[in-house]
Amino acid sequence: MVGALTEREALLTSPVRRRVVELLRDLPSEDGERSRGLTANDLATRLDLHVTTVRFHLDQLVAADVLETEFLRGRVGRPRKVYRVLAGSLRGAKVDRAHAALTELLLASWQEQSPEGTPLTAQQAGERWVRKHVASSATPPAPALTPGAWLGKVGQALDLLTPWGYTREVRTLDEGRTVELNLVDCPFLAMAHDHPEVVCGVHRGLLREAMHSTGESDVQVGLQPFVAPGRCRATMTRTADFGAVRAEDEAGTTAAAS
């Protein structure tokens, strides 16, 4: 059955439980070690919910082996019961989401045709998936004028592509014009070994259209599969430098005012 959910996936369809997991997952580590976690009261305060409601959701997440608990003894008072994400518990959820997204994409590509009347290519299927999941805007976003704004656009694209297994391992090159993305433990790694043209084509379409949705249409996408075990690499490069974009923007503003 397409899109069937595991127990963990079903639990995380709840906005409250998903937010609990996100808060615990994103806690900073301490001295290179994983976070000590948060108490039910801590989470209730951050979520602006009654602690009893939060405990109800926490109990379900612990029972499903998404979270683990530990009692921490302080200098005074009773030990504190803290919750944290169980190591490795979210990997399967990420893979399940990614495979559901790929299944949706492939089914759509079989059912639709390109403007030329031929079946969609892998890249076109990736582009179509992004268009389906991005709210259309009457006024397209303007291109970035600075490297920092460009990097922010990349962050928006990665937010959209979370179901596909992208990570936040990002670095910039060429004075900020090129962004290098490391894809670690891609959910489709085994498929990519046998059919790299399909998997890489899908990723190229996803990246190009995701950046287009942020107002960045002039982007070159490069893919380097298997640069290391379990690791692929993507690059996105602006074809225009930031100075040229800024000059065009200022010229347009001047013309409109005159």
Side-chain angles (χ1 to χ4, degrees), residues 1 40 64 76 84 158 183 196 221 225 244-245 258:
M1 177 179 178
V76 296
R84 57 175 171 251
L158 289 179
L183 313 181
V221 176
V245 174
S258 59

Side-chain angles (χ1 to χ4, degrees):
M1 177 179 178
V2 175
L5 299 179
T6 65
E7 179 185 5
R8 289 174 183 169
E9 284 287 304
L11 282 172
L12 294 177
T13 59
S14 160
V16 174
R17 288 192 287 272
R18 190 163 60 246
R19 185 62 181 140
V20 166
V21 172
E22 289 172 350
L23 284 171
L24 295 173
R25 180 199 62 195
D26 295 338
L27 288 174
S29 59
E30 301 172 359
D31 299 325
E33 299 294 331
R34 61 180 174 170
S35 169
R36 303 300 293 274
L38 296 174
T39 66
N41 283 321
D42 294 333
L43 289 162
T45 299
R46 299 190 185 202
L47 295 169
D48 195 24
L49 293 172
H50 193 279
V51 68
T52 302
T53 301
V54 172
R55 285 199 181 101
F56 167 78
H57 293 291
L58 288 170
D59 288 344
Q60 294 193 48
L61 291 168
V62 171
D65 291 327
V66 175
L67 303 181
E68 64 179 356
T69 62
E70 181 182 6
F71 285 94
L72 301 179
R73 187 174 298 278
R75 295 181 179 177
V76 296
R78 299 169 55 187
R80 298 166 58 246
K81 184 179 182 180
V82 299
Y83 297 82
R84 57 175 171 251
V85 174
L86 183 64
S89 66
L90 298 183
R91 181 176 301 277
K94 179 181 78 172
V95 172
D96 287 343
R97 289 196 303 274
H99 278 285
L102 182 63
T103 300
E104 174 194 346
L105 182 148
L106 293 178
L107 285 174
S109 69
W110 291 331
Q111 295 167 357
E112 295 193 12
Q113 292 184 334
S114 70
E116 294 76 26
T118 58
L120 296 180
T121 65
Q123 178 171 320
Q124 289 172 329
E127 292 169 351
R128 180 198 175 282
W129 186 92
V130 172
R131 288 193 295 270
K132 180 180 178 181
H133 290 81
V134 173
S136 59
S137 173
T139 304
L145 301 180
T146 65
W150 158 251
L151 190 58
K153 297 288 190 76
V154 173
Q156 293 177 41
L158 289 179
D159 287 342
L160 175 65
L161 300 180
T162 296
W164 295 90
Y166 283 86
T167 72
R168 292 285 174 174
E169 294 187 28
V170 176
R171 71 166 181 157
T172 58
L173 307 166
D174 304 329
E175 297 182 345
R177 288 182 59 228
T178 295
V179 173
E180 185 177 270
L181 311 172
N182 282 315
L183 313 181
V184 181
D185 293 330
C186 170
F188 314 116
L189 203 59
M191 184 187 300
H193 277 287
D194 296 330
H195 303 285
E197 72 287 353
V198 174
V199 175
C200 291
V202 167
H203 280 293
R204 187 174 287 107
L206 291 169
L207 290 168
R208 283 178 57 87
E209 193 64 24
M211 291 305 299
H212 181 76
S213 73
T214 70
E216 301 294 332
S217 57
D218 296 325
V219 178
Q220 292 180 343
V221 176
L223 290 163
Q224 295 176 277
F226 319 124
V227 295
R231 181 182 296 262
C232 299
R233 183 172 297 146
T235 57
M236 295 193 296
T237 302
R238 287 174 53 108
T239 55
D241 61 43
F242 298 105
V245 174
R246 183 182 292 107
E248 292 175 5
D249 184 72
E250 291 173 350
T253 301
T254 302
S258 59

